[in-house]
Amino acid sequence: MKIGIFDSGLGGLVIARAIVKKLPKYDYIYLGDTKNLPYGQKSPVQIYRFTLKAVDFLFKQKCQIIIIACNTASALALRKIQQQYLPTHYPNRRVLGVIIPTLESIWQPPIDIRSPIRTNRRSKVGVIGTTATIKSHIYKKELTKINGQARIIELVAPDLVPLIEQNSLQKARKTVKLYLRPFKKRGIEALILGCTHYPILKKTFGQAMGRKVTVISQDEIMPGKLVNYLKRHKELASKLSKNSKKEFWVTSRNSKFDKVAKRMFGRKLDLKLVKI
Ligand code: DGL
């Protein structure tokens, strides 16, 4: 059985790359729903429908665990899939998201991992994400369950994903600076990059916010979280095959994808097309 990694596009390859680096022996399938990107501009019903199809595809490809690397899908589809779809269709498989692990890494880190910021129960942290993620207020809602005293300040960035996915990184960098200019005055200690596409511009985010603000990037969080999860769930870990095989699927292609995928994953990929 394999580990599935799902994103609305190619941005999740940055997370996949970090996970594969940390756990190279497992077999992986990556799926990017490039046909329906950007999820961030879709309705909750559409996001749920697309995510469910993707999850179903990955389970049919023999995934034991699926990581929904997409924040938008984690915000609007994960819970319903876990509570309604899994128990009736795949009771022995698991689907994990990125939002709770990100918040836990700050305010509830495991004993062996240090929080990326010097935590203070009252700390004020920013999150930048797609329209759908920010409108769902998922980071604020989940934070109240972990730490009722801390604050999340939200910022929506609707234009970034299409620019990154089209490899227009110069324009994307300028857009980051424009978005963050007013946000700098909010006095946050850290900024969560709440979208799989943003870690590729981590440096730009860091420069735009200045040295006092820690940039929290999910490619630095998810590998450790998965290691920890597999340690705690040996019954799942024991089912995973270890042949170091990797497959990469997308639901539509264009001429820029090979370049973008190479930038995200760090090497040329054989992207296969699938209709789901
Ligand atoms: N991958 C999505 C996320 O992490 C953003 C891209 C999109 O809008 O589809 O939020």
Side-chain angles (χ1 to χ4, degrees):
M1 298 293 279
K2 304 163 196 172
I3 297 174
I5 301 177
F6 168 64
D7 185 35
S8 59
L10 300 177
L13 285 169
V14 177
I15 308 229
R17 176 187 187 175
I19 291 176
V20 168
K21 192 171 169 212
K22 183 96 178 169
L23 294 164
K25 291 199 178 129
Y26 291 117
D27 297 330
Y28 295 91
I29 303 193
Y30 180 89
L31 174 66
D33 188 11
T34 46
K35 186 172 165 221
N36 295 308
L37 179 119
Y39 278 23
Q41 309 294 7
K42 305 283 189 310
S43 71
V45 173
Q46 284 174 309
I47 295 165
Y48 176 71
R49 203 157 16 97
F50 296 148
T51 308
L52 189 59
K53 274 195 188 176
V55 163
D56 199 57
F57 166 79
L58 288 170
F59 278 149
K60 287 195 176 118
Q61 303 302 308
K62 297 201 166 52
C63 287
Q64 178 65 39
I65 300 171
I66 297 171
I67 296 156
I68 298 191
C70 178
N71 282 258
T72 312
S74 293
L76 292 137
L78 177 65
R79 174 134 311 169
K80 199 164 161 195
I81 288 173
Q82 286 173 332
Q83 292 180 348
Q84 296 180 15
Y85 174 76
L86 273 190
T88 48
H89 291 77
Y90 293 98
N92 300 320
R93 313 235 195 141
R94 293 292 174 267
V95 183
L96 314 172
V98 286
I99 292 167
I100 296 174
T102 303
L103 292 170
E104 282 176 350
S105 79
I106 304 172
W107 284 287
Q108 267 178 13
I111 315 164
D112 50 337
I113 299 177
R114 263 211 354 237
S115 165
I117 60 172
R118 233 191 286 138
T119 32
N120 162 352
R121 297 294 291 170
R122 291 172 197 279
S123 33
K124 188 156 83 171
V125 169
V127 62
I128 181 166
T130 66
T131 307
T133 301
I134 296 303
K135 255 170 76 180
S136 75
H137 301 299
I138 185 84
Y139 275 92
K140 278 191 172 174
K141 285 182 199 159
E142 295 296 348
L143 178 63
T144 56
K145 298 177 200 161
I146 295 174
N147 174 3
Q149 289 173 304
R151 275 174 63 199
I152 290 270
I153 316 275
E154 300 167 314
L155 177 68
V156 64
D159 298 332
L160 274 180
V161 169
L163 289 174
I164 296 169
E165 198 85 359
Q166 289 302 317
N167 210 22
S168 304
L169 290 194
Q170 273 310 93
K171 266 195 199 161
R173 283 190 191 101
K174 278 193 191 144
T175 310
V176 167
K177 286 176 190 154
L178 280 177
Y179 280 138
L180 293 183
R181 203 173 291 155
F183 205 57
K184 271 177 88 167
K185 301 192 185 106
R186 307 291 300 267
I188 53 171
E189 288 160 54
L191 176 68
I192 299 170
L193 304 185
C195 174
T196 48
H197 287 69
Y198 304 165
I200 200 78
L201 298 178
K202 210 186 294 184
K203 227 168 129 185
T204 310
F205 280 98
Q207 285 163 352
M209 289 309 290
R211 260 189 302 157
K212 285 191 187 144
V213 178
T214 309
V215 172
I216 298 177
S217 188
Q218 288 163 340
D219 60 316
E220 293 168 25
I221 293 168
M222 291 311 291
K225 278 284 179 183
L226 184 58
V227 168
N228 202 274
Y229 183 85
L230 294 176
K231 266 191 210 157
R232 285 186 289 114
H233 296 276
K234 297 225 163 51
E235 75 293 354
L236 295 174
S238 66
K239 290 185 185 159
L240 296 172
S241 50
K242 291 182 175 171
N243 305 302
S244 303
K245 280 194 189 148
K246 295 163 220 53
E247 289 171 42
F248 300 89
W249 296 88
V250 286
T251 53
S252 79
R253 296 190 58 103
N254 75 27
S255 57
K256 300 206 173 124
F257 275 10
D258 287 329
K259 232 179 169 173
V260 177
K262 189 175 172 193
R263 192 189 289 268
M264 301 283 183
F265 200 76
R267 66 171 167 83
K268 198 173 176 308
L269 296 178
D270 175 21
L271 292 175
K272 294 187 200 136
L273 188 63
V274 62
K275 202 169 161 233
I276 57 171

